[in-house]
């Protein structure tokens, strides 16, 4: 039984709804980056150990990444508006708890709850968006706005985190979410379209929910602890193997369950699979830009927290200009695939330049060109988002949204684990060889940037091959009830469809 669609909202109401969704995304992304800047102050004030401090980030990441898929499907079943409101409410309340925390345990618990709330709201946001904007040009504009909000949130968070921590206290990085969250809830009540969903009976698979959530949680935990225990340790391999077994069990369960939580038809389109695989590689690579560049500015060049955020603002500015001013028109004229390829080439240039950045870098000559080339992200992300969502029918829009967000989080976790570990290992070896600390740090970052560039080249290859053939335009409209051609109905059990973060879409033209 298909979900009951909400009546088509007037144009003004739809753009107001987009504003609500974008604000929710901004709050989520901003919270992730704003915390990293305040970590030293949090450690000093609450008495965190160095290992314990990592859980301020990890608790949020594990909850967020492991619940996105489940939350997205629940949105299809019980209503996406309900899930968005519930998630925003939980996130706002958890932000208050984090702001008043007086011990490490309370802050970690609050961060976990923030992750739960963020996952619940974020997982359905794209699903709501694509059912609101069905006309291709309007949808392209809406996705550009939504994508820019996410991309800009990270840079804004770094600036805001530095300013709030320096001017007030670290507590205000959480208190700032309160007015934003309350305003979002109030506007969302009337702005977002109501939807009844399919009903829990259409996908009430408790066993599947347990398998996928526990598998993702264990997998993300294993990845984020690689830096501490090592990739080849018995702990990492054991947890990783158990996570893969749980996820494999989930796929088998979905293929045999009468009412699966995640119908495997979502994997049928090659374009959705390609778009999500590209995103995982791209996000993993760009961790080195978002985080390691900030560390380079502070630890090597001696920038302060606020100065670091300001130094990275040009990147946010060009991403915004391209996302909002050009991406929709370029996608309409040249196709998402071609725009995506162009954006990835620019991003390879970003990390390529960073592999050559010197110890005593000049901002204008060495770093500003890097920030400007970040415009490639403004091209790539809207194109990927369009590709990642365009193959979903209305009844699967929440699931497709949850999958797309899950892919992003897995890529982020992999980037954090792999690139930071490589950078730290290279720095230690250079230090042991007698190199000065700034030179050793820079050498470590150079290695991470080079590996990140390699990941982007892999993403470029995937985009060029998997997104090569155009698919029927009819399959791109989520509200369409056009049947999928019989030749694509059978879901393969091959290894191409066993990755939980890989989805499938159309739109390569």
């Amino acid at each position: 039984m298909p979900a009951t669609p909400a009546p088509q909202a007037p144009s003004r109401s739809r753009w107001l709804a987009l504003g609500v969704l974008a604000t929710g995304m901004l709050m989520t992304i901003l919270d992730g980056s704003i915390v990293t800047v305040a970590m030293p102050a949090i450690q000093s004030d609450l008495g965190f150990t160095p290992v314990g401090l990592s859980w301020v980030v990890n608790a949020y990441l594990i909850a967020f990444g492991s619940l996105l898929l489940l939350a997205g499907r629940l949105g299809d079943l019980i209503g996406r508006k309900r899930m968005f409101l519930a998630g925003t409410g939980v996130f706002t309340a958890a932000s208050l708890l984090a702001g008043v925390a007086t011990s490490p345990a309370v802050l970690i618990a609050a961060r976990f709850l923030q992750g739960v709330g963020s996952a619940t709201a974020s997982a359905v946001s794209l699903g709501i968006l694509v059912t609101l904007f069905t006309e291709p040009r309007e949808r392209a504009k809406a996705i550009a706005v939504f994508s820019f909000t996410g991309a800009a949130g990270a840079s804004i968070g770094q600036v805001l985190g530095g300013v709030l921590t320096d001017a007030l206290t670290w507590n205000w990085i959480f208190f700032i979410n309160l007015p934003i969250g309350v305003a979002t809830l109030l506007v969302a009540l009337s702005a977002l379209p109501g939807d009844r969903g399919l009903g829990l009976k259409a996908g009430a698979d408790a066993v599947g929910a347990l398998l996928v959530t526990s598998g993702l949680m264990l997998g993300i935990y294993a990845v984020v602890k690689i830096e501490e225990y090592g990739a080849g340790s018995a702990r990492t391999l054991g947890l990783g193997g158990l996570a893969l077994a749980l996820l494999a069990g989930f796929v088998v369960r979905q293929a045999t369950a009468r009412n699966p939580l995640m119908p495997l038809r979502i994997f049928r389109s090659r374009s959705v699979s390609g778009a999500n695989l590209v995103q995982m590689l791209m996000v993993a690579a760009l961790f080195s830009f978002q985080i390691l560049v900030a560390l380079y500015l502070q630890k090597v060049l001696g920038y302060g927290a606020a100065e670091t955020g300001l130094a990275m603002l040009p990147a946010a500015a060009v991403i915004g200009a391209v996302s909002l001013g050009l991406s929709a028109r370029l996608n309409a004229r040249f196709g998402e695939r071609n725009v995506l390829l162009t954006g990835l080439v620019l991003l390879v240039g970003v990390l390529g330049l960073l592999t050559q950045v010197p110890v005593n870098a000049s901002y204008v000559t060495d770093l500003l060109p890097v920030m400007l080339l970040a415009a490639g992200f403004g091209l790539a992300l809207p194109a990927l988002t369009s590709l990642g969502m365009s193959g979903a029918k209305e009844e699967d829009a929440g699931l497709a949204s949850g999958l797309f967000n899950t892919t992003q989080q897995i890529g982020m976790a992999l980037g954090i684990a792999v690139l930071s570990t490589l950078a730290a290992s290279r720095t230690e070896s250079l230090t042991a060889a007698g190199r000065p600390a700034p030179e050793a740090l820079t050498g470590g970052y150079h290695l991470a940037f080079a590996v990140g560039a390699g990941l982007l080249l892999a993403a470029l290859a995937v985009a060029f091959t998997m997104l090569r053939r155009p698919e029927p335009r009819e399959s791109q409209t989520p509200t369409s009830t056009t049947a999928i051609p019989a030749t694509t109905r059978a879901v393969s059990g091959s290894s191409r469809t066993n990755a939980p973060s890989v989805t499938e879409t159309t739109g390569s033209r």
Side-chain angles (χ1 to χ4, degrees):
M1 163 179 179
T4 303
Q8 184 66 46
S11 178
R12 184 175 179 181
S13 299
R14 286 185 287 127
W15 289 104
L16 180 59
L18 173 62
V20 169
L21 297 174
T23 302
M25 171 61 72
L26 176 65
M27 188 166 58
T28 296
I29 300 297
L30 199 153
D31 187 76
S33 61
I34 203 172
V35 169
T36 60
V37 178
M39 294 278 271
I42 292 173
Q43 182 178 17
S44 175
D45 193 22
L46 296 186
F48 271 98
T49 64
V51 173
L53 185 65
S54 67
W55 281 99
V56 176
V57 174
N58 291 342
Y60 178 91
L61 183 62
I62 290 171
F64 186 54
S66 61
L67 292 173
L68 282 165
L69 188 61
L70 176 60
R73 188 54 176 166
L74 285 176
D76 292 331
L77 299 178
I78 68 174
R80 298 177 201 114
K81 179 177 180 177
R82 292 175 185 172
M83 291 296 289
F84 182 87
L85 292 173
T88 303
V90 169
F91 179 85
T92 304
S95 296
L96 175 60
L97 179 61
V100 299
T102 56
S103 69
V106 173
L107 182 58
I108 290 171
R111 289 288 288 162
F112 186 88
L113 289 174
Q114 277 190 311
V116 172
S118 291
T120 305
S122 301
V124 296
S125 294
L126 280 173
I128 297 173
L129 186 153
V130 297
T131 54
L132 278 172
F133 297 90
T134 56
E135 195 277 320
R137 287 188 177 275
E138 280 199 337
R139 180 185 294 176
K141 292 178 182 178
I143 286 177
V145 171
F146 190 80
S147 300
F148 163 70
T149 304
S155 295
I156 294 172
Q158 289 173 332
V159 177
L160 194 58
V163 171
L164 289 175
T165 302
D166 290 344
L168 300 171
T169 64
W170 63 264
N171 311 76
W172 284 92
I173 68 173
F174 299 112
F175 288 149
I176 195 172
N177 292 327
L178 301 182
I180 301 174
V182 170
T184 300
L185 282 170
L186 292 176
V187 178
L189 284 170
S190 59
L192 296 184
D195 59 317
R196 292 187 299 173
L198 298 166
L200 285 175
K201 291 183 179 179
D205 180 14
V207 174
L210 179 63
L211 286 170
V212 71
T213 303
S214 58
L216 286 172
M217 190 170 290
L218 275 176
I220 293 172
Y221 173 78
V223 168
V224 299
K225 300 301 284 184
I226 284 177
E227 186 175 3
E228 182 177 347
Y229 294 104
S233 68
R235 182 189 183 98
T236 299
L237 295 176
L239 288 175
L242 180 57
L244 289 175
L246 289 169
L247 293 173
F250 170 70
V251 173
V252 172
R253 170 72 181 179
Q254 300 315 288
T256 57
R258 182 177 179 181
N259 293 310
L261 178 72
M262 185 185 73
L264 295 182
R265 62 176 176 266
I266 197 70
F267 294 105
R268 289 173 183 159
S269 163
R270 184 187 65 253
S271 297
V272 174
S273 300
N276 280 267
L277 182 54
V278 168
Q279 178 180 228
M280 184 171 64
L281 293 167
M282 184 180 78
V283 170
L286 290 179
F287 161 78
S288 63
F289 175 77
Q290 180 183 344
I291 304 299
L292 296 186
V293 169
L295 291 175
Y296 166 79
L297 290 171
Q298 294 185 50
K299 292 187 175 183
V300 177
L301 299 186
Y303 285 30
E307 287 178 299
T308 298
L310 290 172
M312 298 186 73
L313 265 185
V318 295
I319 289 171
V322 172
S323 295
L324 300 177
L326 290 175
S327 64
R329 284 179 287 175
L330 292 175
N331 285 334
R333 181 170 181 179
F334 299 106
E336 287 92 344
R337 174 185 181 266
N338 292 328
V339 173
L340 170 61
L341 292 173
T342 303
L344 289 173
V345 168
L346 291 176
L347 292 175
V348 170
V350 167
L351 295 189
L353 287 177
L354 285 172
T355 62
Q356 305 300 315
V357 70
V359 175
N360 299 311
S362 164
Y363 181 80
V364 174
T365 59
D366 295 314
L367 293 171
L368 185 57
V370 171
M371 302 299 169
L372 297 180
L373 280 178
F377 194 70
L379 294 176
L381 188 57
L384 267 180
T385 305
S386 295
L387 292 168
M389 291 300 298
S390 57
K393 295 182 179 181
E394 181 173 345
E395 59 264 32
D396 296 328
L399 175 60
S401 176
L403 281 168
F404 193 74
N405 282 286
T406 300
T407 303
Q408 190 176 79
Q409 293 307 305
I410 290 175
M412 185 182 299
L414 287 172
I416 291 172
V418 175
L419 298 182
S420 61
T421 299
L422 289 173
S425 177
R426 177 63 174 163
T427 297
E428 288 177 5
S429 65
L430 291 173
T431 301
R435 301 287 183 87
E439 187 176 337
L441 285 167
T442 303
Y445 299 144
H446 281 172
L447 176 60
F449 296 143
V451 174
L455 292 174
L456 287 175
L457 289 173
L460 194 61
V462 171
F464 185 78
T465 54
M466 292 189 69
L467 307 179
R468 183 169 49 191
R469 295 179 183 177
E471 297 185 40
R473 297 292 299 188
E474 291 81 4
S475 65
Q476 294 183 14
T477 305
T479 54
S480 170
T481 57
T482 304
I484 296 175
T487 55
T488 63
R489 286 178 186 162
V491 178
S492 169
S494 70
S495 61
R496 288 182 302 171
T497 60
N498 65 4
S501 63
V502 177
T503 62
E504 183 183 12
T505 181
T506 63
S508 55
R509 288 174 284 282

